[in-house]
Amino acid sequence: MFKIPGKFSLAMLAILSALLVSSFALPLPSADSAGALTAADYAHAEKFMNYNANPLVLHAVKPAWTTDERLWFRDTTAAGTEFVVFNPVGLKREPAFDHAKLAVALSAAVGKTFDANHLPFQQFEYSADGQSITFSIGPRRFTCDGQGNKCAAEARPDASAQRARPAAGGPPARNDVPSPDKKLTAFIRDFNLWVRDLATGKETQLTTDGVKDYGYATDNAGWVRSDHPVLLWSPDSKKIATFQQDQRNVGEMYLVETKVGHPTLQAWKYPLPGDAVVTMIERVIINVDGNVNGDVDAKKVVRLQIPPDQHRSTLCDHVVCRGSDWADVEWSPDSAHLAFVSSSRDHKVAQLRVADAATGAVRDVLEEKVATQYESGQTRANWRYLAKSNEFIWFSERDNWGHLYLYDQAGKLKNQITTGDWGVLELLNVDEKNRQVYFLAGGREKGDPYFAHLYRVGLDGKNLTLLTPEDANHDVTLSPSGRYFVDNYSKPDAPPITVLRDTNGKLLATLATADISRLLATGWKPPVPFTVKARDGVTDLYGLMFKPTNLDPNKKYPIVNHIYPGPQGGSVGTRSFVAARGDAQALAELGFVVVEIDGMGNPTRSKKFHDAYYGNLGDNTLPDQVGGMKQLAEKYPWIDLTRAGIYGHSGGGYAAADAMFRYPDFFKVGISEAGNHDNREYEDDWAERYQGLVDGTNYDDQANQSLAKNLKGHLLLAHGTADDNVPPYNTLLVVNELIKANKDFDLLLLPNRRHGFGNEPYMVRRRWDYFVRYLLGEEPPVGYELHPPDTRAVAGQ
């Protein structure tokens, strides 16, 4: 007990009260704090970024099949890289081309000197005759003969044929789709579909009535903005399945380019949840042969005799759409019929249909209705049209697990193909002759249920066979004939081994074994897989923990949660080996324990698990995140749960801010990047699938701005001003409510950046600084600059 003297007592009491409150509201420096981190500390952490760690892994290969049943891959060696071709017949390995000659020829074509061991491309395509290769260097494409004697650059495309940006690690990006016989290629020009003769260069216009916002083969609804034509060639190369996309009365989204002078307004069609009018597609089949050969009697465009479909039912080549559920179209082998799936706006109804390619008549085969949302598969649509036997394979979670079912042509169930408390992940191939199915599944074998394994089973559901027995995640690629498969298997803490097997599972050759000795020499250690219980106290959850490589068990470390809630994905991401997962390990090196937890609501497990927070997106798996972190702190005394932070990007940005508002006494520091904070302000398809159609106030509780008044700790909001995926207005809605509530927060707007700024050096550094200052309780070095390699193109720039 003490007494405050005189007139000063009230003022002093107010000051003491404010200090006492602030001491509880803000994290205190660690007892182990040295007061400041140095540039050397940051430089040490930067060694664990992907651009420094990944190149230290040798012989981690990603083989690809050629049409003539050979394999090629890029192998990283101590001397550099080499491109290899492997023939399963005779098990022969040889260089894909003469690297020295190609380096000389390419140097002459580009005007810059290249080394044979350091060629400036990672992917290439063989020509139809296998006598030349084509690849991209930056925005330009080059073709070199097979002997590497001559290389030539393709003519720069005009504005109507600009190429799409390549996917990370994918094949050279192109805005045309070649026919199966490689004689024609289809592309979009002025909202219409055209084809080009690859031998003569002659161009033929296939459609004529395409106009702005009502064009052919476009997939630019919402955040998808691409000139890549969305279509599927028939097997005989004479027809194209595509659509005319109607956006004429759809609402627009707007962004403004930051520059000196009058601003440039960007406007595009962007339907939102609750909109009366959203993008629709009118499915068509185009008679290419009749157009090209001038057949006046041929019906050039056949419109399918059904009402327009939702744009969420867009179609495309399985290769282009790998990683999505858009691959909803399949041709019969004789090119006479087209099977496809139509989906309702709320994703609760899926209809399998077959169209007559000549008349456009459509027959409904089967329909599936669910209470929440129909899942067709995470990596591709897991259904098949078996035209030879007039049967269909259908994917359903009707028994709580994702399984395959066999139907006849009338839509009558013949039998269930797979069954059990595990789920089919991807239907890879159907051997109709032997009536066998090859598929990836998870959860059947002991261990991590997210590990994918390859199986074979009869269409009658008998003789289920495991073809990949190793306890690991299996990245499988079947050969074109289905006789062989490449199995690239690994775990988060075990580097990959790449093998070739036949489809009986027999090991034919080991193509590569990754060497991480150089990585280990830097002091690198793998993340630690762990298991915790979900909110129900029963279900196992799986995650990864990143510790400082010099962890002292006698010290206390703040814990940082790196979150991505889904529901279409998870925090951990791939279960395969990766030397660096974003900046998780790098951040740990600064004195944190970083965790990634896949909470309930993530896909690829049971239907019940996936639907854990259907209709309640504001859940964001946060009960599982908090519960899992508490369990880890009980197990590891060096985790300081009183200093808990969280960060994420996109859906993870939404979850991170949500965590700061819903659990303000648990999370002390949060970083929210590019968050879709109110899903009424995000593209219609995603939210309406997982939250449901807008019905009165059902979206109110999931909106972060309605909770902003709860903020207690430090929050950094970051957004790109040119984000055309999650428009920046999402973050500004939260900012406005924080201001109304008189809350202190930090805001970082990145001019002209689109959605993927999370790994930019400046954002990474600001993220580190924020956690170091407010969670670790130390001062970061002033203005540290990360130095990733210069990835600008070497050609044409």
Side-chain angles (χ1 to χ4, degrees):
M1 192 84 178
F2 64 94
K3 182 178 180 181
I4 301 175
K7 298 180 181 179
F8 195 58
S9 59
L10 291 178
M12 180 61 81
L13 181 62
I15 293 173
L16 289 174
S17 299
L19 290 174
L20 184 62
V21 169
S22 65
S23 69
F24 282 102
L26 302 179
L28 295 173
S30 165
D32 304 308
S33 170
L37 293 186
T38 67
D41 295 321
Y42 270 43
H44 168 75
E46 189 180 1
K47 292 179 180 179
F48 296 85
M49 293 294 290
N50 64 328
Y51 48 84
N52 288 320
N54 291 345
L56 299 179
V57 179
L58 304 181
H59 308 303
V61 303
K62 294 286 186 182
W65 290 99
T66 65
T67 55
D68 60 354
E69 204 88 345
R70 295 181 298 158
L71 285 162
W72 74 264
F73 54 88
R74 179 176 179 263
D75 193 4
T76 303
T77 69
T81 59
E82 62 176 342
F83 291 86
V84 175
V85 171
F86 187 91
N87 194 336
V89 179
L91 306 179
K92 184 179 180 181
R93 171 181 173 139
E94 59 186 356
F97 45 78
D98 188 316
H99 291 62
K101 287 184 177 180
L102 189 141
V104 172
L106 187 59
S107 298
V110 175
K112 181 176 181 178
T113 302
F114 297 113
D115 184 332
N117 292 322
H118 301 88
L119 293 171
F121 57 92
Q122 296 186 8
Q123 306 277 327
F124 69 81
E125 296 173 331
Y126 276 108
S127 60
D129 59 8
Q131 298 303 305
S132 62
I133 63 171
T134 301
F135 49 85
S136 292
I137 306 177
R140 303 183 67 188
R141 284 170 65 85
F142 294 81
T143 297
C144 302
D145 67 90
Q147 290 71 42
N149 293 313
K150 183 179 180 181
C151 295
E154 289 185 3
R156 291 182 181 272
D158 59 31
S160 65
Q162 287 294 318
R163 302 193 181 280
R165 288 172 289 183
R174 55 189 304 164
N175 269 0
D176 60 329
V177 180
S179 59
D181 62 9
K182 305 298 182 183
K183 292 182 179 179
L184 300 172
T185 190
F187 63 95
I188 299 171
R189 177 180 291 155
D190 298 329
F191 314 108
N192 284 290
L193 198 62
W194 294 60
V195 291
R196 181 182 300 112
D197 188 302
L198 290 172
T200 67
K202 178 185 175 182
E203 296 180 343
T204 302
Q205 187 170 354
L206 301 180
T207 66
T208 58
D209 61 333
V211 295
K212 185 179 184 296
D213 299 326
Y214 193 40
Y216 284 90
T218 62
D219 189 26
N220 55 2
W223 65 267
V224 178
R225 298 170 69 188
S226 169
D227 292 328
H228 185 98
V230 183
L231 56 86
L232 190 66
W233 283 91
S234 62
D236 63 6
S237 298
K238 294 182 178 181
K239 303 180 186 71
I240 288 175
T242 186
F243 53 79
Q244 189 171 12
Q245 182 175 254
D246 190 356
Q247 300 192 109
R248 288 170 294 183
N249 296 308
V250 173
E252 293 185 333
M253 187 61 67
Y254 306 101
L255 294 172
V256 176
E257 179 184 354
T258 300
K259 64 176 184 178
V260 175
H262 295 286
T264 300
L265 178 68
Q266 298 179 21
W268 75 101
K269 298 295 183 178
Y270 193 103
L272 295 171
D275 281 359
V277 178
V278 297
T279 304
M280 305 293 285
I281 59 172
E282 300 172 9
R283 296 181 184 267
V284 300
I285 295 174
I286 300 174
N287 186 336
V288 179
D289 195 46
N291 277 275
V292 172
N293 295 320
D295 186 349
V296 295
D297 296 323
K299 191 172 183 180
K300 305 297 178 65
V301 178
V302 177
R303 292 188 176 269
L304 301 196
Q305 297 173 25
I306 56 171
D309 266 337
Q310 301 293 328
H311 73 92
R312 57 193 35 74
S313 299
T314 49
L315 71 164
C316 54
D317 182 324
H318 286 160
V319 174
V320 173
C321 290
R322 187 179 178 90
S324 75
D325 62 354
W326 292 349
D328 69 344
V329 172
E330 287 191 0
W331 282 98
S332 61
D334 62 3
S335 303
H337 295 90
L338 184 77
F340 62 96
V341 174
S342 297
S343 176
S344 63
R345 178 168 176 172
D346 58 7
H347 285 269
K348 294 182 179 181
V349 181
Q351 291 178 296
L352 177 60
R353 294 167 158 170
V354 177
D356 185 299
T359 66
V362 175
R363 175 173 64 89
D364 288 345
V365 178
L366 64 89
E367 177 181 87
E368 175 138 353
K369 294 183 179 180
V370 298
T372 54
Q373 56 91 23
Y374 171 69
E375 182 68 67
S376 61
Q378 283 296 304
T379 55
R380 62 185 291 177
N382 285 326
W383 64 271
R384 291 292 185 278
Y385 175 29
L386 309 181
K388 294 179 182 178
S389 58
N390 283 318
E391 295 171 307
F392 298 87
I393 295 176
W394 186 249
F395 177 89
S396 174
E397 294 177 306
R398 66 191 61 169
D399 68 356
N400 192 39
W401 299 92
H403 283 301
L404 304 176
Y405 297 78
L406 185 65
Y407 284 83
D408 66 16
Q409 62 176 334
K412 181 180 179 181
L413 178 64
K414 298 183 72 172
N415 61 266
Q416 186 169 346
I417 300 173
T418 61
T419 184
D421 292 348
W422 49 272
V424 171
L425 302 176
E426 182 175 358
L427 174 55
L428 292 181
N429 188 46
V430 180
D431 181 349
E432 293 190 63
K433 179 180 178 181
N434 295 309
R435 296 189 65 77
Q436 293 177 324
V437 179
Y438 294 84
F439 62 93
L440 296 174
R444 185 175 181 271
E445 311 307 317
K446 292 181 179 180
D448 192 326
Y450 294 96
F451 284 174
H453 289 268
L454 178 67
Y455 299 87
R456 182 184 64 220
V457 70
L459 282 171
D460 58 3
K462 298 179 181 179
N463 300 317
L464 178 65
T465 304
L466 172 64
L467 301 175
T468 54
E470 297 84 1
D471 176 27
N473 189 50
H474 294 265
D475 183 1
V476 172
T477 309
L478 290 174
S479 68
S481 71
R483 293 173 58 196
Y484 310 101
F485 68 89
V486 171
D487 179 13
N488 199 320
Y489 64 90
S490 66
K491 296 192 286 187
D493 56 349
I497 297 174
T498 308
V499 300
L500 175 68
R501 301 180 189 268
D502 66 20
T503 43
N504 289 316
K506 180 182 178 181
L507 178 64
L508 301 178
T510 298
L511 302 175
T513 300
D515 177 0
I516 63 170
S517 58
R518 296 198 306 174
L519 184 64
L520 292 171
T522 67
W524 177 92
K525 295 178 182 178
V528 178
F530 63 80
T531 304
V532 293
K533 293 298 181 181
R535 64 188 76 179
D536 60 8
V538 177
T539 306
D540 284 336
L541 301 178
Y542 296 80
L544 295 177
M545 178 168 58
F546 304 81
K547 304 180 296 182
T549 53
N550 63 346
L551 182 139
D552 183 345
N554 296 314
K555 292 184 178 181
K556 287 280 193 176
Y557 295 86
I559 183 171
V560 176
N561 187 307
H562 179 212
I563 188 171
Y564 189 85
Q568 84 288 2
S571 298
V572 174
T574 180
R575 254 54 186 193
S576 296
F577 179 88
V578 183
R581 294 171 178 263
D583 66 339
Q585 186 60 48
L587 181 60
E589 293 301 305
L590 296 177
F592 302 94
V593 173
V594 180
V595 296
E596 296 174 340
I597 304 172
D598 280 341
M600 296 186 73
N602 296 152
T604 75
R605 295 180 69 176
S606 70
K607 175 66 171 171
K608 180 181 179 181
F609 187 93
H610 194 189
D611 285 347
Y613 63 92
Y614 174 83
N616 181 27
L617 284 174
D619 177 285
N620 273 312
T621 79
L622 293 176
D624 298 317
Q625 305 297 327
V626 173
M629 294 167 72
K630 288 180 177 179
Q631 292 171 58
L632 290 172
E634 290 176 0
K635 183 176 181 180
Y636 302 107
W638 29 264
I639 291 178
D640 184 356
L641 206 60
T642 66
R643 293 183 292 162
I646 190 167
Y647 74 106
H649 192 93
S650 192
Y654 170 41
D658 193 26
M660 296 295 293
F661 303 151
R662 291 185 190 270
Y663 296 87
D665 294 318
F666 182 83
F667 290 105
K668 304 304 193 302
V669 181
I671 300 174
S672 168
E673 302 168 12
N676 50 310
H677 299 286
D678 187 334
N679 286 293
R680 291 168 295 193
E681 194 67 17
Y682 183 53
E683 189 260 339
D684 65 320
D685 182 38
W686 188 86
E688 290 185 341
R689 176 171 186 166
Y690 298 112
Q691 182 69 19
L693 300 180
V694 175
D695 182 16
T697 61
N698 65 319
Y699 273 65
D700 290 355
D701 290 342
Q702 58 78 44
N704 273 347
Q705 69 268 21
S706 65
L707 305 169
K709 61 182 179 293
N710 298 333
L711 179 66
K712 292 184 179 180
H714 289 279
L715 174 63
L716 170 61
L717 297 163
H719 220 116
T721 65
D723 191 336
D724 53 0
N725 182 334
V726 179
Y729 314 115
N730 278 270
T731 288
L732 295 181
L733 288 169
V734 176
V735 167
N736 192 50
E737 293 304 315
L738 287 169
I739 292 172
K740 287 183 180 179
N742 197 32
K743 296 293 183 177
D744 290 341
F745 64 96
D746 293 285
L747 176 65
L748 175 61
L749 295 178
L750 295 100
N752 301 327
R753 304 311 200 279
R754 298 199 183 277
H755 192 60
F757 63 83
N759 290 321
E760 287 190 10
Y762 183 76
M763 185 68 240
V764 173
R765 194 266 290 177
R766 289 294 302 270
R767 187 158 60 232
W768 294 0
D769 286 356
Y770 209 74
F771 283 130
V772 165
R773 178 175 289 116
Y774 296 119
L775 198 61
L776 193 62
E778 300 187 5
E779 275 301 305
V782 177
Y784 181 84
E785 185 174 359
L786 282 79
H787 293 284
D790 187 354
T791 57
R792 291 176 299 177
V794 297
Q797 292 191 11

